[in-house]
C-alpha cells in the first residue's frame, strides 16, 4: 500500500523547507500593503541608511525603504512570474495537445513553429519583445510567456502521443466521443503530472527572467521588483552592499525553494519513484 | 572701427598664466604619454561633420581653430593672431598667423579658412549650419588675411571658433572628394599639437607630438593615447592604478568619482565644461491640457527639490537653477539671476495653491490628475530623476506613471510626434545662448523631426523678438539686457522647469599638470599639458 500523495510530498524535508519559504514570500506579498504601508518608491528616510538602523533592511540611494521594496517587489515578481507561466502552460499545452493528438501534417507544422521559437536565444528574444512593446507589466508577461511555452508544448505532445494509443483512449474513440472531449477528459488529466512539475519549475525561470529584465531597466517601470532593486543598487555595491544583497538573496531562496518543491512534486507524482 | 586688439588679449592671457603659476613655479618638463579614457569609442574622427562628444575629445588635439578661449569665455588668439570687427558688426577680419604648417608639411593659409567655413562647416557641420548662417563670403585678399562678410551681425560666431567647434581643415586634403564621406575623416591632417598616428578599433587612438607645432616648445607631451574601455568598473580601476590618467563626461559614474577623489594620486576637476554647460530641464507639452496652463507648469517647477536631486542623484555635482542660461555665462553678463525663484522652502505649498487656483482640486483619493512621465533613457541618474519626480509630483496631488523607452522611440515621441505630457532632458548651452539656448523655446525651433529643439512647442512673440534682437546685437551690454528680459519672461512662463546645471567631473592623475586650461576642457588641444 503506497502512502498518500500529500504524505509523500510533504514528508520530504527539502520540500518542507521550500514550502515554508514560499509560504513566507506569498504571505509577505499578499500582506504587503499592511506590513509595509508606504509606497515602495516613496522617499521615506535618509539615503544609504544601513540595515537595522531605523529601517529593517536599510534604505537605497534615494532614501527608499529596502524592506518596502522587498515585500512589494515580491508581489510584482510573483504575480508576473505566475501569470506568465500560466499563459505559457495554457498556450504550450494547447499546441502540444493538438500536435500530439492529430499527428501528421498538423503535428509537423506546429512542431516546426515550436522549433522556430526554440532556436532563438530566449533571453535575447525576451529583451527584444519588451523593447519593441515598450516596458510595462503586460509586455513583460507577454515576453516571458512567449519564450517559455515551447518546452511545455514538447512535453505535452510527447505525453499525448503515448496516451493516444492506450486502450482507454481507443475505447473512447470507439464510443464516438468528440475529439476535444477525448483530449480534455481522457488524455490531459493523465498527462497532468509532468505538466505540473515543469510548470512549477517554469515559475522559477520566469522569476529569473523577470529579474534580469528589470535589472537591465526593462521591467515594468511603475512596479517595484527584486531585479529592479538589484539594477538600481549595483552601482553602489562597494558602498551599500545591502541594496544588492537583500533582493539577491530573496531571488536565490525563492528560486531554490521552487526548485525543491518542483522536484518534490516530481518525486511524489512519478509512479516509478514510488516506494511500495 | 572697433578694434579687438591682440595686445589686450595677450595681457589677459598673461594674467591667466600668472594666475596658474601662483602655485610654486615649476618648469614644464618635456616628454611623457597621457592616456585619456573616452567613452564610448567615437564613430569617426571627422569633427567637422559630427558633434558627438567622443569625436571632439580626440579630434580637438589634431585640429586648431581660429581662436581659443579663457575661462571667462573671452576669445584668445590661436591660428588667428588678431581680429577686428567692423562697427556695424558685418565684417570680421582675421589676421592669420604666418608660418603655420599642417601635419603633412603644407602651409596653412586664408584659402584653408575660406574652404573650411564656406564649403565644410556652413554646409555639413550640425551646428556650423547655424553658426555661420549669416556668413555670405570669406574673402582672402592675401594668404594671411581672411575677411568674413556677414548678412547681419553674428556676435555668437566669435564664441564658436575653437578647434573643437570649428576645426580648420587643409583645403588640399579635404578639398577633393565628398566631404560627407571623406577618406581622410579617420586619418585626419590638421595644424594641432598632436598628429594622428594610429587607430586600433576597439582599443585606442594614438596621437604623437607634432614637432613642427607653431607654438614654440609645445606640446610638452610626447604622446596622447585615447583608450576605449567599455566597462565602467575597469575604467575606474585603470585610473585608480595610474594606467590611464584622465577621463571626463561621466565616463566614471559620480559615486565612483567620489571614491577616486579620496585617493592620493587622483584629483577631481569640475572646470573645463564652461563652454558646454548642460542644464537639466523638465519638459512640458505646452499644447496639451493641463500643461497649457501656466499655473500647472509653475506648480511643477516649485515641486522639485533641487538640493535633494543634486545631492542624491548627481552626488553633489550640480548647481540649482531656475532658468535656461547657465551661470557659466555670468562673466559675459548673459546670465541673469533676476528671474522667478522656484527653489524655495515652501515650494510644495505654493505648488498646491497654484493647482487649486488652476481649477484642479484634489479628488477623494487625493489625486488631482494623472499623467505619464517619459523618463530620459540616458542611464541610471536619469531614471532616478524620473522616480524622484514621480514622488515630488505625488506630494502635490499629481499621479505620474513612468514610461521608459529606448532612445530612438523616446526622441520620436518627444520631438516628432509630441505624444507626451512630461519628460526630462538636458541641453548644452554651448558657447553662446544663440547656439544652445534659443533652440529650446524659440518658436522658430518648433521643427517636427529635429531633435533637441523646441519639443515643448511653446511660443511667445515677445520672447522670440527679444532673442532675434539679441542674436544680432553687437554691443555686449545691450545684448545682456535683452537676455535678462528673455530669462525673466521664459522662467515666469515655465514652458520647461529648469532644475539644475550639471557639473561634469574630470578624473585626473595628479602627475599631469595644466591639462584642463580652457572652458573646453577635454575638447581642448592639451598643448600645455605636461608630466611631472
Amino acid at each position: 500500500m503506497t502512502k498518500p500523495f500529500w504524505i509523500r510530498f510533504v514528508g520530504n524535508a527539502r520540500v518542507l523547507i521550500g514550502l515554508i519559504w514560499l509560504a513566507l514570500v506569498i504571505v509577505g506579498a499578499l500582506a504587503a500593503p499592511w506590513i509595509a504601508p508606504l509606497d515602495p518608491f516613496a522617499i521615506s528616510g535618509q539615503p544609504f541608511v544601513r540595515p537595522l538602523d531605523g529601517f529593517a533592511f536599510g534604505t537605497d540611494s534615494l532614501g527608499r525603504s529596502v524592506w518596502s521594496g522587498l515585500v512589494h517587489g515580491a508581489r510584482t515578481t510573483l504575480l508576473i512570474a505566475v501569470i506568465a507561466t500560466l499563459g505559457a502552460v495554457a498556450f504550450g499545452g494547447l499546441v502540444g495537445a493538438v500536435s500530439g493528438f492529430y499527428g501528421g501534417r498538423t503535428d509537423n507544422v506546429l512542431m516546426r513553429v515550436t522549433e522556430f521559437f526554440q532556436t532563438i536565444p530566449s533571453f535575447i528574444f525576451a529583451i527584444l519583445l519588451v523593447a519593441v512593446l515598450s516596458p510595462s507589466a503586460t509586455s513583460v508577461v507577454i515576453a516571458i510567456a512567449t519564450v517559455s511555452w515551447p518546452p511545455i508544448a514538447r512535453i505535452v505532445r510527447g505525453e499525448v502521443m503515448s496516451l493516444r494509443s492506450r486502450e482507454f483512449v481507443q475505447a473512447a474513440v470507439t464510443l464516438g466521443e468528440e475529439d476535444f472531449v477525448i483530449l480534455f477528459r481522457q488524455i490531459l488529466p493523465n498527462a497532468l503530472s509532468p505538466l505540473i512539475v515543469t510548470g512549477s519549475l517554469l515559475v522559477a525561470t520566469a522569476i529569473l527572467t523577470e529579474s534580469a529584465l528589470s535589472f537591465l531597466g526593462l521591467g515594468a517601470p511603475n512596479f517595484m521588483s527584486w531585479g529592479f532593486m538589484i539594477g538600481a543598487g549595483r552601482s553602489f555595491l562597494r558602498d551599500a552592499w545591502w541594496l544588492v544583497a537583500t533582493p539577491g538573496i530573496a531571488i536565490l531562496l525563492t528560486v531554490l525553494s521552487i526548485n525543491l518543491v518542483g522536484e518534490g512534486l516530481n518525486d511524489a507524482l512519478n509512479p516509478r519513484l514510488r516506494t511500495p | 572701427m572697433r578694434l579687438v586688439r591682440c595686445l589686450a588679449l595677450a595681457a589677459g592671457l598673461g594674467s591667466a598664466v600668472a594666475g596658474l603659476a601662483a602655485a610654486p613655479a615649476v618648469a614644464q618638463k618635456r616628454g611623457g604619454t597621457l592616456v585619456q579614457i573616452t567613452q564610448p569609442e567615437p564613430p569617426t574622427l571627422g569633427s567637422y561633420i559630427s558633434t558627438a562628444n567622443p569625436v571632439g575629445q580626440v579630434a580637438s588635439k589634431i585640429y586648431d581653430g581660429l581662436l581659443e578661449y579663457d575661462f571667462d569665455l573671452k576669445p584668445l588668439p590661436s591660428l588667428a593672431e588678431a581680429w577686428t570687427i567692423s562697427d556695424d558688426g558685418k565684417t570680421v577680419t582675421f589676421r592669420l598667423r604666418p608660418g603655420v604648417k599642417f601635419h603633412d608639411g603644407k602651409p596653412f593659409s586664408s584659402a584653408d579658412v575660406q574652404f573650411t567655413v564656406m564649403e565644410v562647416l556652413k554646409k555639413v557641420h550640425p551646428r556650423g549650419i547655424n553658426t555661420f548662417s549669416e556668413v555670405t563670403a570669406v574673402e582672402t585678399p592675401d594668404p594671411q588675411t581672411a575677411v568674413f562678410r556677414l548678412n547681419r551681425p553674428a556676435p555668437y560666431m566669435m564664441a564658436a571658433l575653437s578647434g573643437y567647434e570649428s576645426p580648420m581643415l587643409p583645403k588640399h586634403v579635404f578639398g577633393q572628394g565628398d566631404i560627407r564621406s571623406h577618406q581622410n575623416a579617420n586619418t585626419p591632417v590638421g595644424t594641432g599639437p598632436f598628429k594622428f598616428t594610429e587607430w586600433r578599433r576597439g582599443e585606442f587612438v594614438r596621437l604623437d607630438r607634432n614637432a613642427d607645432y607653431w607654438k614654440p616648445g609645445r606640446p610638452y607631451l610626447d604622446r596622447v593615447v585615447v583608450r576605449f574601455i567599455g566597462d565602467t568598473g575597469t575604467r575606474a580601476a585603470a585610473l585608480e592604478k595610474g594606467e590611464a590618467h584622465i577621463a571626463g563626461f561621466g565616463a566614471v559614474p559620480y559615486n565612483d568619482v567620489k571614491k577616486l577623489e579620496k585617493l592620493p594620486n587622483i584629483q577631481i576637476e569640475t572646470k573645463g565644461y564652461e563652454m558646454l554647460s548642460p542644464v537639466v530641464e523638465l519638459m512640458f507639452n505646452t499644447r496639451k491640457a493641463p500643461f497649457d496652463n501656466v499655473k500647472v507648469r509653475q506648480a511643477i517647477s516649485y515641486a522639485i527639490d533641487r538640493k535633494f536631486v543634486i545631492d542624491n542623484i548627481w552626488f553633489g555635482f550640480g548647481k540649482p537653477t531656475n532658468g535656461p542660461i547657465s551661470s557659466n555665462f555670468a562673466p559675459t553678463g548673459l546670465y541673469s539671476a533676476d528671474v522667478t525663484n522656484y527653489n524655495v522652502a515652501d515650494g510644495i505649498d505654493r505648488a498646491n495653491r497654484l493647482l487649486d487656483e488652476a481649477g484642479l482640486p484634489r479628488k477623494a483619493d487625493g489625486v488631482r490628475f494623472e499623467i505619464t512621465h517619459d523618463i530620459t533613457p540616458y542611464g541610471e541618474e536619469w531614471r532616478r530623476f524620473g522616480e524622484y519626480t514621480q514622488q515630488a509630483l505625488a506630494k502635490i496631488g499629481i499621479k505620474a506613471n513612468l514610461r521608459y523607452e529606448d532612445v530612438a522611440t523616446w526622441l520620436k515621441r518627444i520631438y516628432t510626434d509630441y505624444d507626451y505630457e512630461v519628460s526630462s532632458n538636458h541641453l548644452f548651452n554651448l558657447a553662446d545662448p544663440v547656439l544652445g539656448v534659443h533652440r529650446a523655446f524659440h518658436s522658430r525651433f518648433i521643427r517636427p523631426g529635429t531633435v533637441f529643439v523646441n519639443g515643448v512647442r511653446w511660443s511667445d512673440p515677445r520672447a522670440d523678438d527679444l532673442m532675434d534682437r539679441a542674436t544680432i546685437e553687437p554691443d555686449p551690454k545691450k545684448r545682456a539686457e535683452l537676455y535678462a528680459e528673455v530669462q525673466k519672461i521664459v522662467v515666469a512662463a515655465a514652458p520647461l522647469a529648469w532644475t539644475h546645471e550639471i557639473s561634469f567631473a574630470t578624473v585626473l592623475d595628479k602627475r599631469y599638470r595644466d591639462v584642463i586650461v580652457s572652458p573646453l576642457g577635454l575638447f581642448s588641444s592639451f598643448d600645455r599639458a605636461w608630466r611631472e
Side-chain angles (χ1 to χ4, degrees):
Chain A
M1 178 77 190
T2 51
K3 291 181 225 161
F5 166 77
W6 274 108
I7 308 283
R8 271 182 285 124
F9 181 51
V10 185
N12 185 334
R14 284 174 301 167
V15 172
L16 200 62
I17 294 169
L19 281 176
I20 290 170
W21 174 255
L22 281 183
L24 281 177
V25 173
I26 292 167
V27 167
L30 291 175
W34 295 279
I35 53 179
L38 277 174
D39 176 355
F41 285 100
I43 294 155
S44 47
Q46 289 299 307
F48 298 122
V49 174
R50 302 186 75 85
L52 301 176
D53 196 2
F55 288 87
F57 290 92
T59 63
D60 76 354
S61 65
L62 287 183
R64 301 178 287 207
S65 158
V66 174
W67 164 246
S68 193
L70 278 178
V71 292
H72 286 268
R75 249 179 177 211
T76 315
T77 306
L78 285 187
L79 204 62
I80 287 182
V82 168
I83 295 177
T85 304
L86 287 178
V89 168
F91 185 74
L94 190 70
V95 170
V98 170
S99 193
F101 188 75
Y102 290 104
R105 184 169 292 173
T106 319
D107 178 39
N108 233 325
V109 170
L110 286 175
M111 281 307 108
R112 293 305 84 76
V113 172
T114 311
E115 274 163 15
F116 171 77
F117 278 90
Q118 279 186 302
T119 48
I120 307 174
S122 63
F123 188 57
I124 308 277
F125 191 31
I127 291 179
L128 186 82
L129 283 170
V130 174
V132 169
L133 297 171
S134 137
S136 70
T138 325
S139 61
V140 172
V141 167
I142 292 174
I144 296 176
T146 309
V147 300
S148 315
W149 68 267
I152 300 276
R154 285 280 182 187
I155 286 168
V156 172
R157 172 179 174 266
E159 286 293 316
V160 171
M161 279 175 99
S162 81
L163 290 167
R164 174 99 178 75
S165 49
R166 300 277 280 277
E167 288 88 350
F168 70 93
V169 176
Q170 282 171 357
V173 175
T174 322
L175 284 171
E177 283 202 54
E178 302 255 359
D179 283 358
F180 76 89
V181 177
I182 301 175
L183 197 51
F184 286 93
R185 280 252 185 86
Q186 309 294 342
I187 299 182
L188 279 183
N190 286 294
L192 219 49
S193 53
L195 200 59
I196 288 172
V197 173
T198 321
S200 68
L201 295 177
L202 213 56
V203 175
T205 321
I207 289 178
L208 288 176
T209 311
E210 192 278 331
S211 301
L213 285 171
S214 301
F215 173 79
L216 293 175
L218 289 168
N222 295 298
F223 294 92
M224 184 56 81
S225 88
W226 293 343
F228 168 84
M229 292 170 78
I230 297 179
R234 68 172 175 225
S235 346
F236 312 107
L237 190 56
R238 280 159 74 180
D239 328 78
W241 54 267
W242 60 93
L243 299 185
V244 171
T246 35
I249 291 170
I251 292 175
L252 172 82
L253 290 180
T254 309
V255 171
L256 184 69
S257 299
I258 293 174
N259 276 298
L260 289 177
V261 172
E263 252 173 53
L265 274 175
N266 187 34
D267 292 352
L269 290 170
N270 191 336
R272 289 188 201 90
L273 294 177
R274 268 178 216 175
T275 40
Chain B
M1 271 206 167
R2 193 166 48 82
L3 282 175
V4 181
R5 279 162 315 274
C6 187
L7 273 178
L9 290 161
L13 179 64
S15 63
V17 172
L20 286 163
V26 229
Q28 292 88 339
K29 272 197 242 162
R30 270 267 295 112
T33 297
L34 176 77
V35 178
Q36 166 182 319
I37 296 180
T38 291
Q39 171 62 23
E41 184 167 11
T44 165
L45 297 184
S47 58
Y48 51 85
I49 198 161
S50 171
T51 48
N53 178 321
V55 181
Q57 289 192 41
V58 181
S60 54
K61 283 64 185 165
I62 301 164
Y63 296 112
D64 283 317
L66 289 175
L67 302 175
E68 290 173 16
Y69 300 89
D70 67 11
F71 280 113
D72 289 339
L73 312 187
K74 294 223 170 59
L76 304 172
S78 181
L79 287 178
E81 284 188 308
W83 57 96
T84 57
I85 303 172
S86 67
D87 285 336
D88 65 359
K90 294 207 274 193
T91 307
V92 185
T93 308
F94 292 96
R95 200 171 82 224
L96 304 181
R97 194 175 297 278
V100 175
K101 288 199 178 81
F102 282 106
H103 296 154
D104 61 3
K106 303 248 171 66
F108 163 75
S109 78
S110 55
D112 298 306
V113 177
Q114 184 195 44
F115 165 75
T116 305
V117 172
M118 298 308 291
E119 299 302 319
V120 183
L121 301 178
K122 196 174 152 70
K123 285 187 180 159
V124 302
H125 189 279
R127 297 197 288 254
I129 294 167
N130 229 344
T131 310
F132 299 105
S133 63
E134 301 293 344
V135 180
T136 52
V138 175
E139 290 164 10
T140 54
D142 66 69
Q144 251 49 70
T145 310
V147 185
F148 285 45
R149 299 279 179 206
L150 278 64
N151 225 347
R152 293 183 299 173
Y156 51 89
M157 186 185 83
M158 297 309 287
L161 295 173
S162 66
Y164 156 68
E165 187 72 30
S166 301
M168 287 298 136
L169 311 177
K171 186 183 182 185
H172 62 272
V173 175
F174 289 95
Q176 280 109 48
D178 180 9
I179 191 68
R180 289 171 198 276
S181 55
H182 202 277
Q183 54 178 5
N184 282 90
N186 295 337
T187 49
V189 178
T191 58
F194 295 95
K195 293 193 226 187
F196 173 80
T197 307
E198 187 189 3
W199 182 358
R200 207 174 285 173
R201 298 268 173 176
E203 291 182 53
F204 62 83
V205 170
R206 178 178 144 193
L207 309 170
D208 286 324
R209 182 173 190 268
N210 173 11
D212 297 325
Y213 192 50
W214 54 269
K215 289 187 189 171
R218 295 196 200 160
Y220 299 115
L221 295 169
D222 280 337
R223 188 171 293 163
V224 172
V225 175
V226 184
R227 280 184 67 186
F228 314 116
I229 302 173
D231 177 61
T232 316
T234 317
R235 287 199 290 275
L239 290 157
E240 191 173 334
K241 286 168 70 186
E243 287 173 11
H245 313 120
I246 187 167
F249 285 108
V252 179
Y254 292 110
N255 56 310
D256 279 338
V257 169
K258 283 278 177 210
K259 247 178 306 192
L260 289 173
E261 194 173 19
K262 297 193 186 98
L263 298 174
N265 59 327
I266 298 275
Q267 109 185 47
I268 303 300
E269 184 61 81
T270 51
K271 285 180 90 174
Y273 297 100
E274 290 80 355
M275 269 194 155
L276 301 164
S277 310
V279 180
V280 177
E281 63 199 24
L282 281 177
M283 304 175 70
F284 306 117
N285 194 341
T286 63
R287 299 213 183 155
K288 194 168 182 179
F291 300 101
D292 51 351
N293 187 335
V294 62
K295 288 189 173 158
V296 174
R297 304 195 299 256
Q298 289 171 333
I300 295 181
S301 306
Y302 275 121
I304 305 294
D305 180 349
R306 275 105 171 134
K307 187 172 159 15
F308 182 90
V309 169
I310 294 168
D311 288 350
N312 297 300
I313 302 174
W314 270 270
F315 292 90
F317 292 96
K319 203 170 155 188
T321 194
N322 289 301
I325 298 186
S326 164
S327 62
N328 287 334
F329 284 99
T332 64
L334 300 183
Y335 167 78
S336 163
D338 180 24
V339 294
T340 316
N341 183 15
Y342 294 109
N343 194 19
V344 290
D346 62 338
I348 297 291
D349 296 339
R350 291 192 194 206
N352 275 316
R353 268 203 304 278
L354 279 164
L355 290 173
D356 288 339
E357 285 168 26
L360 297 159
R362 285 181 192 262
K363 294 182 203 115
D365 56 356
V367 176
R368 297 173 193 273
F369 57 92
E370 205 171 323
I371 60 157
T372 299
H373 178 131
D374 283 282
I375 309 175
T376 323
Y378 288 168
E380 287 294 302
E381 59 260 28
W382 294 99
R383 186 136 193 174
R384 296 292 93 77
F385 185 49
E387 287 159 15
Y388 165 74
T389 309
Q390 188 183 38
Q391 294 305 316
L393 294 185
K395 284 190 195 165
I396 59 170
I398 302 175
K399 183 173 186 321
N401 298 304
L402 301 179
R403 179 163 51 200
Y404 190 75
E405 294 172 323
D406 63 292
V407 177
T409 314
W410 174 73
L411 285 175
K412 184 164 176 292
R413 184 182 284 286
I414 308 292
Y415 294 105
T416 306
D417 302 339
Y418 306 115
D419 179 22
Y420 75 101
E421 286 163 326
V422 176
S423 188
S424 55
N425 202 353
H426 63 306
L427 292 193
F428 284 15
N429 271 197
L430 301 173
D432 189 277
V434 172
L435 309 173
V437 177
H438 289 193
R439 55 180 172 163
F441 47 79
H442 192 299
S443 54
R444 190 159 54 85
F445 286 95
I446 303 176
R447 294 180 188 165
T450 307
V451 299
F452 307 128
V453 290
N454 188 348
V456 298
R457 291 185 295 165
W458 182 72
S459 147
D460 181 280
R462 216 153 50 97
D464 285 356
D465 176 58
L466 286 165
M467 281 186 274
D468 289 339
R469 277 158 59 200
T471 304
I472 54 170
E473 176 56 61
D475 180 42
K477 213 172 201 151
K478 284 189 197 148
R479 213 167 168 239
E481 284 163 17
L482 290 168
Y483 274 121
E485 195 60 31
V486 171
Q487 288 167 79
K488 205 174 230 172
I489 294 174
V490 79
V491 173
L496 302 109
W498 292 277
T499 58
H500 61 289
E501 302 166 4
I502 303 179
S503 317
F504 284 118
T506 304
V507 180
L508 181 62
D509 191 305
K510 277 188 181 159
R511 289 170 293 177
Y512 291 82
R513 303 290 195 89
D514 297 342
V515 186
I516 303 297
V517 291
S518 107
L520 286 165
L522 283 162
F523 290 148
S524 55
S525 74
F526 289 177
D527 64 321
R528 277 160 65 185
W530 58 284
R531 187 190 161 124
E532 264 176 22

